[in-house]
Amino acid sequence: MEKTQLLEQIKGKLIVSCQALEDEPLHGPHIMARMAMAADVGGAVAIRANGSDDISAIKHATKLPIIGLVKRVYENSHVYITPTKKEVDELLDVGVDVIALDATNRKRPNGDSLEEIIRYVKEKEQLILADISTVEEGLHALHLGADFISTTLSGYTDYTVREQPGPDVELVEKLVHATDAPIFAEGRIECPNDAKRMIQKGAHTVVVGSAITRPQHITKVFVDGMND
Ligand SMILES: CC(=O)N[C@H](C=O)[C@@H](O)[C@H](O)[C@H](O)COP(=O)(O)O
């Protein structure tokens, strides 16, 4: 899908992340495809998904645009969201609308630089969603050619570890003031009010995962809430 059309379609709306890793109860392409169908029926405007198998199944189940990533852990690096060109190639092969990749300042595997990987994706004329944890990382990724910024990794880099649960509203606000580029609010958005607040703060769109597609997470929220 073309960039302007995609931005129009997702403006002020909900993107659902449908992901279950190997160690999660709902792991498997069939189940993730069903999750994506459910998100579609419920009114989501795009899907965020991990790995060729899930993405391929989801593409058969829904026509919604897909933000694809490949999570893979390498030795000697904390970067695991589309860390190298190998994962980019896997996403190019399966076909996605946007490639999401880690754009933090952390060292990447294989000695690749963020600049190199962004250049590689742009050469393939693919849209890039840069997953960041700070304002500086967001601005840097835009400078290198990323199309959009997502707050995905706030709280997951060792320099942004958070005491507070819930989404990083402050990071969204700061990014909105720092750039005109579209900001995706993502990470620990737990309820409709959180999502609405992010849009009111100027986020272009909102990505919700665990609160919709990880029943073990939802169950724990109930269990903990009942024990308070
Ligand atoms: C940090 C990391 O690896 N985030 C991943 C990125 O793709 C996913 O596991 C999250 O579910 C996604 O970002 C949505 O966030 P939340 O599940 O909190 O709504």
Side-chain angles (χ1 to χ4, degrees):
M1 186 181 281
E2 197 254 324
K3 182 171 175 176
T4 320
Q5 192 193 347
L6 176 74
L7 282 174
E8 191 55 38
Q9 175 162 337
I10 63 179
K11 190 172 165 44
K13 304 245 166 64
L14 175 70
I15 298 172
V16 174
S17 170
C18 298
Q19 298 185 46
L21 300 183
E22 269 175 40
D23 60 350
E24 295 186 60
L26 297 195
H27 178 67
H30 176 71
I31 303 176
M32 281 308 109
R34 292 285 166 163
M35 275 292 180
M37 282 168 77
D40 192 350
V41 171
V45 292
I47 301 293
R48 179 170 165 124
N50 167 44
S52 308
D53 292 348
D54 283 6
I55 291 170
S56 173
I58 289 170
K59 283 177 71 170
H60 284 102
T62 164
K63 298 257 175 298
L64 291 179
I66 297 188
I67 300 167
L69 58 129
V70 174
K71 284 184 177 170
R72 188 161 292 139
V73 174
Y74 285 81
E75 269 181 23
N76 304 321
S77 174
H78 293 298
V79 172
Y80 61 85
I81 297 179
T82 322
T84 76
K85 291 176 189 165
K86 179 176 168 12
E87 290 76 33
V88 170
D89 287 341
E90 290 172 18
L91 292 168
L92 294 171
D93 283 348
V94 68
V96 294
D97 296 277
V98 179
I99 290 185
L101 55 87
D102 181 312
T104 64
N105 283 334
R106 300 174 297 180
K107 188 165 79 70
R108 304 188 86 84
N110 303 342
D112 285 345
S113 68
L114 177 62
E115 187 171 1
E116 264 173 74
I117 195 153
I118 288 184
R119 194 186 315 122
Y120 184 71
V121 180
K122 294 315 289 177
E123 277 167 14
K124 314 285 178 186
E125 300 187 355
Q126 276 277 331
L127 297 174
I128 298 178
L129 177 62
D131 290 330
I132 54 90
S133 70
T134 65
V135 175
E136 295 68 32
E137 288 171 347
L139 296 181
H140 184 56
L142 289 171
H143 174 71
L144 294 179
D147 296 278
F148 333 106
I149 300 300
S150 193
T151 57
T152 317
L153 290 166
S154 166
Y156 300 98
T157 52
D158 46 13
Y159 41 93
T160 63
V161 174
R162 288 163 51 89
E163 301 281 312
Q164 304 284 330
D168 195 341
V169 183
E170 197 186 331
L171 178 58
V172 169
E173 280 179 314
K174 285 185 177 163
L175 282 165
V176 166
H177 283 108
T179 173
D180 289 334
I183 305 304
F184 291 36
E186 175 168 356
R188 301 177 303 277
I189 294 170
E190 289 290 342
C191 60
N193 270 344
D194 282 352
K196 208 166 157 184
R197 188 154 171 240
M198 293 307 208
I199 299 296
Q200 284 164 350
K201 294 289 179 190
H204 186 84
T205 187
V206 167
V207 182
V208 178
S210 308
I212 296 176
T213 59
R214 287 196 167 105
Q216 72 276 26
H217 170 85
I218 303 163
T219 306
K220 189 166 185 309
V221 170
F222 271 83
V223 170
D224 292 349
M226 288 167 72
N227 289 331
D228 274 351

